[in-house]
Amino acid sequence: MKIEKVTFISPELPYWNLVTHAVFPEYGVPVVATLTRDAGYDVKAYVEHIGPIDWDDVMKSDVVCFHAFSSTMPKTIDYIKKIKDVKPEMPIVIGGTHASVMWEDTLQYCDLVVRKEGDETLPEVLDTWKNDGNLSKVLGISYWDHGKVRSTPDRPFTQDFEVIPDLELISGYLNWPRWKLLFKLKMRWQLLQTSRGCPYDCSFCIAPRELGRAYRLRSIDNIIADIKYQQKLVGSKYFFIVDNHFTVNRQRSKDLLNRIIEEKIQWYGICFTRMEVARDEELLALLKKAQINTLYMGLESFDNNVLKLLNKAQTQEGLRKSLATIKSHGLRVLGSFVMGSDEDTVQSLRATIQSAIEIDIDYVALFPLSGYPELNSPNIKINRFFLPSWDRLDGTFVMFLPKNMKPSTLQREINNAYKKFYGPKQVMRRLIKGDIWCGLKRIAYNYWAWEIRRSTKTWIKYLESVEGKYYDENDKLIEDMLPEEGIHPAQFPGSSLAAGLERTAITMGGD
């Protein structure tokens, strides 16, 4: 097969969400695009919220690769149809978390799915196609083979990820001058990865499943070179460290932070971490000195029953103590909360947001419990999904039937919690304390929260129109009323049990 030109497409998210006002590509897209370029292919990437897709250019491709979130699957399917209508023989590849988990379902729309990390897998797929080789020897893929679906064993997780993503492969990436950012109410963020994997086992989190529990490290020299490259390219000082848990290896974190300090890097960093970081005050001091000023922490709840159910290995008392220690070092906390578990009630949700206010957490991000409609779903039973289309599975919309409240109630409680936390009273509290920066950011977040409330308004009406028969007079879920497989768009739920694909027979392990 002739393969010279490879195009990557990442469709735009359909609704207002946490990152609506941020300009950055999904991290994996430029990484895999760069590795594909380095393998000798002519590469162009389109990240739709950064720049428009040039369809004339796409049609000149030899292979088109899509990065798809669940919420962008409808648009991805439309785009694939657009390509296939013109070039029906064009090979289409889909990767990303959705494709990895729901691979049987995703294969209805493409020729090949890259599961989990694509760093090594996609270049090997392209070389195999190019040389008319045998795909059954490529680990980590699912694909069509003469009317049958074949799925090879998972590829071991990548150990060497020293590549510095070439952001100029992304069409329009440099076409965001400051006036345009201001006019469109956008903010440019640079992404940085220093490690992969997370050793924890939170019941709701997809990260260990996709990136493994082993903690893999990128070299400090390569990280520093990446930071300097990005700052020189666009001049932005705002960096989001996308590691699942930046401070797992404390000594290594200290070595990296000391190097950042030695290099006199001027930036504003945010990183993901957990409450355990508070046990090491030397590390906290280095985070502050290295200008990683905000810690994005998965707090999830201030209810011990909820924390136990989510397998967070933390307690309300421990959280309060840790947060006090962290804030004593002048660090800000962006607390992430998962709402609607089987231990949650309306009262526990309200108590959690009140605790966040009392503890004086700087910012919050609120998510309804989520997951994928799998036959063996680890988080939400498949018959409790309430998801008529993929586009609502984006971390904003309630898409399942909670145990102790109606889904419309949960959606309203999340909206009201945002309104309370970012409302005028809490903004004024910060301004009166002299924390002008946080006060101004809360004003901006209040606008962002208003967008989310507006975006979910129609959804709440839909939920109210269909949820009633599943709940008793006390708003408790009547599980006997649930349909066998819930309401969801997956024709083939993500499980190896789904062996009855139309026009196919699944063969595990290649030939």
Side-chain angles (χ1 to χ4, degrees):
M1 181 189 300
K2 171 182 169 290
I3 300 179
E4 295 177 354
K5 180 176 174 59
V6 181
T7 298
F8 292 78
I9 298 177
S10 181
E12 188 170 15
L13 297 169
Y15 301 107
W16 299 104
N17 58 77
L18 279 170
V19 295
T20 295
H21 293 284
V23 176
F24 60 76
E26 295 70 36
Y27 186 76
V29 174
V31 169
V32 179
T34 300
L35 289 166
T36 303
R37 189 274 315 277
D38 291 348
Y41 297 94
D42 177 13
V43 170
K44 175 68 72 67
Y46 294 98
V47 179
E48 196 173 23
H49 81 274
I50 292 177
I53 300 170
D54 181 343
W55 287 105
D56 289 337
D57 181 58
V58 171
M59 297 305 175
K60 297 174 185 176
S61 306
D62 297 308
V63 177
V64 178
C65 305
F66 283 88
H67 173 275
F69 292 110
S70 298
S71 61
T72 62
M73 273 303 293
K75 187 179 285 189
T76 298
I77 294 166
D78 288 344
Y79 287 172
I80 291 172
K81 184 178 185 302
K82 183 184 183 80
I83 294 168
K84 291 285 192 179
D85 284 347
V86 177
K87 299 185 71 173
E89 300 304 315
M90 174 84 78
I92 301 292
V93 178
I94 302 182
T97 302
H98 179 94
S100 296
V101 176
M102 307 296 297
W103 64 264
E104 295 98 330
D105 202 69
T106 304
L107 271 172
Q108 296 176 89
Y109 313 108
C110 65
D111 299 287
L112 185 145
V113 165
V114 171
R115 305 192 312 271
K116 302 185 180 181
E117 296 175 327
D119 308 50
E120 299 169 0
T121 305
L122 183 64
E124 187 176 347
V125 166
L126 297 173
D127 287 349
T128 301
W129 270 338
K130 184 177 181 179
N131 297 306
D132 297 321
N134 188 347
L135 284 174
S136 68
K137 297 180 180 180
V138 180
L139 297 177
I141 62 172
S142 302
Y143 62 99
W144 290 99
D145 180 16
H146 299 93
K148 294 182 179 181
V149 168
R150 302 191 185 275
S151 189
T152 65
D154 286 342
R155 179 181 293 271
F157 290 110
T158 301
Q159 298 302 311
D160 181 0
F161 47 102
E162 296 290 283
V163 63
I164 295 176
D166 184 352
L167 299 174
E168 292 183 84
L169 293 175
I170 300 170
S171 178
Y173 186 79
L174 297 181
N175 189 27
W176 281 89
R178 290 184 179 180
W179 69 264
K180 184 176 178 181
L181 291 166
L182 183 62
F183 179 74
K184 291 184 174 288
L185 300 179
K186 299 279 189 178
M187 183 174 181
R188 187 189 282 280
W189 281 90
Q190 305 308 119
L191 302 186
L192 181 71
Q193 186 176 69
T194 76
S195 68
R196 292 186 188 178
C198 180
Y200 292 92
D201 191 24
C202 303
S203 64
F204 58 89
C205 185
I206 195 69
R209 187 171 169 183
E210 287 299 290
L211 294 172
R213 291 194 173 86
Y215 196 59
R216 297 163 285 150
L217 301 175
R218 186 179 176 190
S219 71
I220 289 177
D221 285 345
N222 191 252
I223 294 166
I224 297 300
D226 195 351
I227 296 170
K228 291 182 176 180
Y229 156 72
Q230 294 193 56
Q231 288 192 325
K232 182 178 180 180
L233 183 67
V234 295
S236 176
K237 68 176 183 177
Y238 296 98
F239 277 71
F240 202 130
I241 301 172
V242 297
D243 304 24
N244 297 125
H245 187 351
F246 178 65
T247 59
V248 169
N249 185 325
R250 296 181 199 169
Q251 186 55 53
R252 193 272 186 167
S253 297
K254 292 175 186 178
D255 292 343
L256 173 56
L257 294 170
N258 277 315
R259 179 69 179 276
I260 290 170
I261 294 165
E262 291 170 8
E263 296 282 346
K264 295 182 171 57
I265 290 173
Q266 297 300 311
W267 68 343
Y268 184 103
I270 296 179
C271 73
F272 290 104
T273 188
R274 284 176 50 101
M275 61 174 284
E276 289 82 4
V277 70
R279 299 172 184 170
D280 192 329
E281 296 206 42
E282 179 189 1
L283 179 54
L284 294 176
L286 282 172
L287 284 164
K288 180 65 177 178
K289 189 174 181 180
Q291 302 174 71
I292 299 179
N293 300 293
T294 300
L295 307 186
Y296 192 132
M297 302 182 68
L299 305 179
E300 318 315 349
S301 178
F302 284 105
D303 185 289
N304 283 337
N305 291 327
V306 174
L307 292 171
K308 183 177 180 180
L309 180 66
L310 298 179
N311 200 31
K312 282 296 297 183
Q314 60 193 34
T315 64
Q316 175 190 162
E317 297 75 21
L319 285 176
R320 290 176 179 270
K321 182 178 179 181
S322 295
L323 291 168
T325 301
I326 290 166
K327 292 185 71 63
S328 72
H329 283 266
L331 294 163
R332 297 196 184 277
V333 173
L334 195 169
S336 174
F337 295 89
V338 171
M339 314 188 97
S341 75
D342 282 0
E343 289 291 344
D344 260 324
T345 63
V346 170
Q347 291 72 31
S348 72
L349 297 179
R350 293 176 180 176
T352 283
I353 203 66
Q354 184 59 39
S355 294
I357 291 171
E358 292 170 357
I359 296 170
D360 212 20
I361 292 173
D362 298 278
Y363 317 109
V364 298
L366 310 177
F367 302 96
L369 185 69
S370 189
Y372 292 91
E374 303 175 78
L375 294 178
N376 54 350
S377 177
N379 196 36
I380 300 170
K381 291 182 179 179
I382 194 168
N383 64 348
R384 287 172 61 181
F385 277 87
F386 218 66
L387 181 68
S389 60
W390 287 124
D391 60 333
R392 303 286 179 171
L393 185 51
D394 71 346
T396 298
F397 297 92
V398 176
M399 31 58 68
F400 74 106
L401 297 169
K403 183 178 179 180
N404 298 314
M405 68 195 82
K406 294 176 180 177
S408 65
T409 301
L410 175 57
Q411 191 78 71
R412 279 202 185 87
E413 288 298 322
I414 293 171
N415 290 350
N416 290 338
Y418 269 135
K419 191 174 182 180
K420 181 175 184 178
F421 189 89
Y422 289 124
K425 183 178 179 180
Q426 301 310 319
V427 171
M428 287 304 300
R429 277 184 63 194
R430 286 295 178 135
L431 295 177
I432 290 171
K433 288 171 59 177
D435 192 351
I436 306 300
W437 177 241
C438 183
L440 293 175
K441 286 187 74 173
R442 285 193 177 192
I443 292 172
Y445 289 155
N446 186 47
Y447 174 71
W448 154 69
W450 171 78
E451 289 176 334
I452 290 178
R453 293 199 304 273
R454 183 179 63 175
S455 181
T456 58
K457 186 176 181 180
T458 302
W459 183 244
I460 289 174
K461 290 181 179 179
Y462 164 73
L463 292 174
E464 288 176 330
S465 72
V466 293
E467 67 191 3
K469 66 179 180 180
Y470 300 108
Y471 289 84
D472 65 18
E473 64 275 10
N474 297 314
D475 285 356
K476 300 290 185 181
L477 181 64
I478 308 171
E479 299 205 34
D480 290 343
M481 292 291 295
L482 299 178
E484 184 177 348
E485 284 198 10
I487 298 171
H488 58 79
Q491 186 175 358
F492 309 110
S495 166
S496 59
L497 298 176
L501 288 179
E502 291 178 6
R503 74 188 191 281
T504 77
I506 292 179
T507 302
M508 298 301 292
D511 288 337

